Amino acid sequence: MRRLVRSYGASPAHLLTLLASFALAGYAGVRLLAGAPWQVAAWLVGAAVAHDLVLAPLYALADAPLTAVARRRRGNALHAVPWVNHVRFPAVVSGVLLLLFAPSIFRWSEGYERTTALSSAPYLGRWLLLTAVLFAVSAAAYAIRLRRARRRRG
Amino acid sequence: MRPLRLAARGPFRPGVFRSPLRGPWLTAVLGITLLGGLSLVLVTGLLSYAAYNPGLAGNDKTPDADLLGAYLFPWPARPHWLYRLNQGTHVTLGLVLVPVLLAKLWSVLPKLFELPPVRSVAQALERLSLLLLVGGGIFEFVTGVLNIQYWYVFPGSFYRLHLYGAWVFTAALAAHVVLKLPRAVEALRSRSFREVLHTDTAGTAPEPPDPDHLVSPDPAPATISRRGALGLVAASSLAVLLVTVGQSLGGAWRRTALLAPRGQDPGVSELGVQVNKTASAAGVRPEQTLAATWALTLAGGAGPVRLTLAQLAALPQRTSFLPIACVEGWSTEDLAWTGVPLRDLAALAGVPDPASVHVQSLQEGGFGSTRLRRNQVLHPDSLLALRLQDVELPLDHGYPARVIVPANPGVHNTKWVTSLTFEA
């Protein structure tokens, strides 16, 4: 038993849990892949790759200059109120909305209008306006914090 | 070990992930939140499959589900808002969980670039399971998000991909929960949530080193507090909720759903009522629906009964207040439908107590042919409707006659009905 644990690298319960999971995933997976096996497999793996190796590096890259600025400004009395998160908040919220609703915003669906009898035109404008509001609210919050900080310092 | 150290470049370099926020506590908070939300999304998803009554011939979009459909049961017709609530919850909560999912994945990202990539058979198997977890999870979110926006680029039928994908994801998630829940509970206990909510950026220190190496070996000073990061996730989820939930609440709320696919009211020709699929998209031509050519066939009894629109309108009429609720999560408030109760038509056909009814439409393919179960046919509010909101049905809402049944998925409220075959 101890030898098994050592050569496997974890407890037998670990192995049994994973085997049970793979069996169920296999049962469903056979059906999932039945129509277009290579394409569906590519979507499954592609989903993980698109997140881990495309989306995550992209947002990390976008955040890098903000992080750098934030660390440089730390302790600087002139910047008693850090502003970096006042950029991050609206940017992240707007980015999430873009990520979720890109097909509507960029009108990628060919059948939307014909199916729903609704216009596909308003979404880009709505997202831009929401983004504007998010940044404006964040800027206002920053201004208020700045004023309070100055008043506190007299 | 030396060659591996040489290979450690880019994200594999130790110390490349420097956020002081990463650690078991943060991952546990996000993980447990996600687990709670996903459980509800899973249950509502499985219920939605049952709502299609796949046990009736021709209804099942995934007839090879076999044991994955072992839990199926006859879908009830009351309360009348059951499907509306179920599907609104499934879609809205699914969308709202996306920021939590992204944050959870961010919190464990360094694990992807761990070196050596495989230390043991156990770890190799676990990494394979994680591929199913991450790939399957994102696959489910992506297919759902694309489907509600009518961008059908996924490889195959949405029903197949989303149902079977859900089981692959659930299998991997269940194993992940079994293997990680004890550690997550322990991590949650490692610091008080209240204290985190009272700690600002300056006071934010890394968690102590953990056996999973989530905590950075070389943490940088914090640029955002833990409460700030959790607040960012919560704000994103709240924003998603605010721009979508209106499409499920209906009425005056609909216009608040600024980015949801059903956040607009259609025009007066549709009575301002959401249309699941227009006549033109369903391939139904107006000339097929003319009173001179259209007739309803009632079958299943001794011989078929044919009724013109005028004859149908002369039968005793009833008004029911029922919503349209779509698998895509949007729905309408209760609308006034007027027509002939399905049970009256069953009696007229000579099958007063049918096991099911086969509904056929002018629409070819898709949902042009469906079956409803006994409880749905016999419910007094179930109608073959001729009028909506006190006017004649618009073509896009199914003129001359359509089915409307309480708690029924929208696509089973068949429009442009041509025949009802009551089956004993």
Side-chain angles (χ1 to χ4, degrees), chain B residues 124 149 153 216 296 344 377:
Chain B
Q149 295 177 79
V153 285
S216 172
L296 175 74
D344 292 1
V377 177

Side-chain angles (χ1 to χ4, degrees), chain B residues 189-204:
Chain B
R189 292 204 181 116
S190 71
R191 65 181 56 214
S192 110
F193 201 88
R194 271 180 75 103
E195 215 177 290
V196 167
L197 291 185
H198 286 102
T199 307
D200 63 4
T201 306
T204 299

Side-chain angles (χ1 to χ4, degrees), chain B residues 327-368:
Chain B
V327 69
E328 294 152 9
W330 60 267
S331 56
T332 70
E333 62 281 24
D334 291 351
L335 305 164
W337 303 91
T338 305
V340 186
L342 289 180
R343 60 180 184 182
D344 292 1
L345 294 172
L348 206 59
V351 194
D353 190 17
S356 60
V357 62
H358 180 203
V359 183
Q360 267 196 298
S361 162
L362 289 169
Q363 180 182 356
E364 280 169 30
F367 288 94

Side-chain angles (χ1 to χ4, degrees), chain A residues 7-10 14-15 17-18 21-22 24-25 27-29 31-32 34 36 39-40 43-45 47-48 51-53 55-56 59 67 70-71 74 85 88-89 92-93 96-97 99-105 108-109 112 114-119 122-123 126-127 130, chain B residues 64 66-68 98 102 105-106 109 112 120-122 125-126 129 135-136 138-139 145 149-151 153-155 160-161 164-165 167-168 171-172 175 178-179 220-224 228 231-232 236 239-240 243-244 258-262 264 266 274 276-278 280-281:
Chain A
S7 59
Y8 172 65
H14 181 275
L15 178 62
T17 303
L18 285 180
S21 163
F22 288 140
L24 176 56
Y27 189 85
R31 289 158 175 80
L32 178 65
Q39 270 176 290
V40 175
W43 269 67
L44 273 172
V45 178
H51 173 270
D52 294 349
L53 302 181
L55 182 65
Y59 71 63
T67 312
R71 291 197 177 129
R74 257 170 75 92
N85 291 322
R88 274 186 181 147
F89 260 72
V92 167
V93 174
V96 164
L97 294 179
L99 183 70
L100 278 178
F101 297 108
S104 300
I105 290 168
W108 287 333
S109 162
Y112 176 80
R114 187 159 177 246
T115 302
T116 63
L118 301 172
S119 166
Y123 297 108
R126 288 177 177 191
W127 175 72
L130 279 169
Chain B
D64 53 346
D66 299 326
L67 288 175
L68 300 179
V98 167
L102 292 175
L105 290 174
W106 173 83
L109 201 59
L112 180 68
S120 64
V121 181
L125 287 181
E126 201 167 323
S129 174
I138 298 176
F139 180 86
V145 163
Q149 295 177 79
Y150 307 87
W151 197 39
V153 285
F154 33 76
R160 291 190 65 85
L161 297 177
Y164 295 141
W167 279 106
V168 171
V178 168
L179 297 179
T223 60
I224 187 169
L232 184 52
S236 304
V240 174
V243 299
T244 50
L258 290 175
L259 294 179
R262 299 299 187 130
Q264 308 171 60
Q274 291 298 316
N276 180 44
K277 197 174 201 176
T278 61
S280 124

Side-chain angles (χ1 to χ4, degrees), chain A:
Chain A
M1 186 70 170
R2 205 171 295 162
R3 200 180 307 158
L4 173 83
V5 169
R6 204 177 318 133
S7 59
Y8 172 65
S11 73
H14 181 275
L15 178 62
L16 293 177
T17 303
L18 285 180
L19 289 181
S21 163
F22 288 140
L24 176 56
Y27 189 85
V30 168
R31 289 158 175 80
L32 178 65
L33 298 177
W38 291 110
Q39 270 176 290
V40 175
W43 269 67
L44 273 172
V45 178
V49 170
H51 173 270
D52 294 349
L53 302 181
V54 180
L55 182 65
L58 274 181
Y59 71 63
L61 207 65
D63 189 60
L66 289 179
T67 312
V69 168
R71 291 197 177 129
R72 216 176 306 138
R73 296 278 159 91
R74 257 170 75 92
N76 185 336
L78 282 173
H79 297 272
V81 181
W83 53 267
V84 166
N85 291 322
H86 286 272
V87 177
R88 274 186 181 147
F89 260 72
V92 167
V93 174
S94 166
V96 164
L97 294 179
L98 177 65
L99 183 70
L100 278 178
F101 297 108
S104 300
I105 290 168
F106 298 119
R107 305 169 84 166
W108 287 333
S109 162
E110 278 166 23
Y112 176 80
E113 296 199 332
R114 187 159 177 246
T115 302
T116 63
L118 301 172
S119 166
S120 64
Y123 297 108
L124 175 60
R126 288 177 177 191
W127 175 72
L128 287 171
L129 280 181
L130 279 169
T131 303
V133 169
L134 287 166
F135 275 98
V137 168
S138 186
Y142 180 68
I144 292 169
R145 287 179 65 190
L146 205 59
R147 246 180 69 177
R148 272 194 203 150
R150 282 195 185 134
R151 208 173 290 162
R152 221 175 295 137
R153 244 180 297 149

